[in-house]
Amino acid sequence: MLSEEEKEELKAELVQLEDEITTLRQVLSAKERHLVEIKQKLGMNLMNELKQNFSKSWHDMQTTTAYKKTHETLSHAGQKATAAFSNVGTAI
């Protein structure tokens, strides 16, 4: 059980935390608006950002070891398949 004094302290702390959260939300909202303004001034829009993010992600993926190994394996398999089809065509 909490004493009345402890309950009052917790209620005061609760009010303070709620006020702080409200303030933080307001600050975040202001910063987000400022961010949008800066992006507009720089000519950046959602489509440009998506293109940049996609290009970066694609580049990052292509530099992974797994991608390189898979690419090499598929390239080698393609060369063998081409040779096999060529041999089949010659035999026919």
Side-chain angles (χ1 to χ4, degrees), residues 46-59:
L46 181 60
M47 188 56 96
N48 288 340
E49 286 187 58
L50 289 174
K51 286 178 187 177
Q52 289 174 350
N53 289 342
F54 179 76
S55 293
K56 183 182 181 316
S57 296
W58 178 248
H59 178 264

Side-chain angles (χ1 to χ4, degrees), residues 61-75:
M61 194 236 357
Q62 285 179 314
T63 59
T64 63
T65 304
Y67 177 85
K68 289 177 182 177
K69 286 182 180 179
T70 302
H71 180 66
E72 289 172 8
T73 301
L74 291 176
S75 178

Side-chain angles (χ1 to χ4, degrees), residues 34-46 48-49 52:
H34 187 61
L35 175 73
V36 168
E37 291 171 7
I38 290 172
K39 285 182 177 183
Q40 287 175 343
K41 287 179 183 178
L42 292 173
M44 298 170 71
N45 62 28
L46 181 60
N48 288 340
E49 286 187 58
Q52 289 174 350

